[in-house]
Amino acid sequence: MQFLTLLGKKLKSEEVIELLELHDVSVVYDFDRFQEGMKDVYWASSRDQGFELRFNEEQILDVVFLYIVESSGFSSVDKSQLDAPLFSSYREAKQSFEAEGVEYVSSPSNDPNHEMFQRWIKGIFQGYSIHYEFADHTLAKVTMTLIA
């Protein structure tokens, strides 16, 4: 699935509607019911397909969550269909970013005994970022975010 190419698309764009219909995904309107100044968003989740989409108040797809391993009631996404690079380890991601000159931020701890050691790394690209989350040194979740 070409999630990366969907970032920035409108909820009612042909490409997004096609994805939602293909997987029979409903859209849930999440409004600021407590009037705390939170912006309204729209969610489209496919637990069986291992992905969740968030659309901002303007109905633009701004975040894609991909579950690489089963978690939080989501099945594993079909990795063979993804348009973003996947890394088998934190080290592989970091080496790739450095080799390609990609700006990145990562887990703050350099202590191998710290629980956050090599837990995540985020590559910052032109118009978007990709956050890689690792659990037990295995890629667990990928989050793609539109950068305004």
Side-chain angles (χ1 to χ4, degrees), residues 92-117:
E92 181 185 0
K94 184 176 179 183
Q95 288 174 341
S96 176
F97 291 158
E98 289 175 348
E100 295 177 24
V102 173
E103 180 183 351
Y104 67 90
V105 292
S106 62
S107 304
S109 177
N110 290 324
D111 178 3
N113 297 316
H114 192 278
E115 66 179 19
M116 292 307 289
F117 178 70

Side-chain angles (χ1 to χ4, degrees), residues 9-73:
K9 299 276 187 198
K10 289 277 217 175
L11 172 60
K12 296 179 184 175
S13 70
E14 286 183 41
E15 300 92 338
V16 171
I17 289 174
E18 182 178 319
L19 175 68
L20 298 178
E21 287 182 351
L22 177 66
H23 298 292
D24 193 30
V25 176
S26 297
V27 177
V28 176
Y29 174 52
D30 187 4
F31 66 97
D32 182 14
R33 68 184 76 231
F34 300 112
Q35 300 179 18
E36 297 173 322
M38 305 284 291
K39 296 190 180 205
D40 298 348
V41 294
Y42 302 81
W43 295 97
S45 304
S46 178
R47 293 187 177 277
D48 292 342
Q49 296 299 314
F51 69 86
E52 187 168 38
L53 311 176
R54 186 185 80 179
F55 298 85
N56 65 21
E57 68 279 3
E58 296 166 355
Q59 298 185 7
I60 294 172
L61 179 58
D62 64 349
V63 182
V64 175
F65 300 95
L66 302 172
Y67 293 83
I68 306 304
V69 297
E70 287 186 36
S71 176
S72 304

